[in-house]
């Protein structure tokens, strides 16, 4: 697949696109806010200009600040819902017409295992990801007859910079990360981003 890498951080998007092109793939980077409708329309237009209609969408943008429920400022609640739920909605609305025209499409929403288990000091995050779970199920049913599949992947503890820094003044050390894994992960280790990517890759394929 040719890939449009959309990210609020344009430099990071560029690094990812370069990794893909250096490996022999096709990719472009677009700086965009996933929860800004005009920005998404612009990103989609640039991606279509480079590669044609968009038939695969992976909604992976998200934020997860740890704040006790009674202390969550209204603006933080709104920002989490805006990025984690409204953003995927806007991206889906933008690209589904391309998929309908192709009579084939794949949408993968990255949710969270916390939608099933809950998470302390994370009510706004769990609420946003729970909403995305519901959106995924609704779209899957609505568009199933059209050749479009809509699935979600709900990661648990994945070893990413966001997890390492979450709610802490300094990022977790390797020993601290392992201590968390020993306590809360049945397999005794944090998962790696590549493991989530492989699941998304399967769901993007004709095998799914």
């Amino acid at each position: 697949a040719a890939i449009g890498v959309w990210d609020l951080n344009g430099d990071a998007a560029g690094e990812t696109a370069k990794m893909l092109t250096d490996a022999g793939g096709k990719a472009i980077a677009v700086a965009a806010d996933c929860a800004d409708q005009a920005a998404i329309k612009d990103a989609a237009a640039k991606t279509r200009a480079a590669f044609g209609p968009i038939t695969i969408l992976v909604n992976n943008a998200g934020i997860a600040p740890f704040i006790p429920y009674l202390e969550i400022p209204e603006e933080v609640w709104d920002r989490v819902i805006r990025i984690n739920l409204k953003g995927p909605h806007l991206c889906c609305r933008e690209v589904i017409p391309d998929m309908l025209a192709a009579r084939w499409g794949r949408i993968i929403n990255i949710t969270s295992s916390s939608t099933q288990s809950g998470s302390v000091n994370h009510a706004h995050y769990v609420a946003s990801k729970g909403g995305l779970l519901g959106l995924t199920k609704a779209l899957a049913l609505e568009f199933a007859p059209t050749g479009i599949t809509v699935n979600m992947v709900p990661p648990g503890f994945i070893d990413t910079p966001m997890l390492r820094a979450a709610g802490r003044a300094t990022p977790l050390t390797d020993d601290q990360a392992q201590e968390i894994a020993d306590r809360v992960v049945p397999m005794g280790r944090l998962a790696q981003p590549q493991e989530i990517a492989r699941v998304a890759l399967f769901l993007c394929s004709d095998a799914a």
Side-chain angles (χ1 to χ4, degrees):
I3 301 174
V5 183
W6 303 357
D7 199 290
L8 187 65
N9 184 333
D11 291 339
E15 291 175 13
T16 301
K18 185 176 186 302
M19 289 172 61
L20 291 162
T21 55
D22 287 350
K26 297 179 180 180
I28 62 167
V30 183
D33 178 348
C34 73
D36 182 317
Q37 187 173 29
I40 290 304
K41 286 188 174 298
D42 179 68
K46 290 175 179 175
T47 303
R48 292 184 185 108
F51 301 131
I54 299 168
T55 53
I56 296 173
L57 171 65
V58 180
N59 281 310
N60 189 46
I63 58 171
F66 280 83
I67 305 173
Y69 178 61
L70 294 179
E71 299 174 16
I72 300 171
E74 184 177 3
E75 61 271 19
V76 173
W77 178 279
D78 289 347
R79 182 167 180 259
V80 171
I81 297 296
R82 177 177 173 271
I83 293 170
N84 294 2
L85 180 56
K86 183 180 179 181
H89 155 67
L90 291 176
C91 290
C92 288
R93 284 281 294 266
E94 178 61 32
V95 305
I96 284 176
D98 287 10
M99 299 177 181
L100 289 172
R103 297 198 59 78
W104 189 94
R106 296 286 186 265
I107 297 173
I108 296 94
N109 293 322
I110 306 300
T111 57
S112 169
S113 60
S114 66
T115 59
Q116 282 78 37
S117 65
S119 181
V120 175
N121 297 333
H122 239 173
H124 46 347
Y125 174 77
V126 177
S128 69
K129 290 297 188 176
L132 186 55
L133 179 157
L135 178 65
T136 301
K137 289 185 174 184
L139 296 183
L141 290 175
E142 183 168 344
F143 291 100
T146 72
I148 300 171
T149 64
V150 188
N151 288 283
M152 65 177 182
V153 179
F157 288 85
I158 313 300
D159 195 359
T160 64
M162 187 169 76
L163 176 69
R164 293 263 181 160
R168 300 172 181 87
T170 57
L172 288 172
T173 65
D174 288 345
D175 288 344
Q176 289 171 324
Q178 185 59 52
E179 189 275 331
I180 290 176
D182 289 338
R183 189 174 72 248
V184 301
V185 182
M187 293 185 73
R189 68 172 180 84
L190 299 181
Q192 295 301 309
Q194 295 93 323
E195 295 176 277
I196 303 303
R198 292 185 192 113
V199 178
L201 180 62
F202 166 73
L203 292 172
C204 288
S205 74
D206 285 329

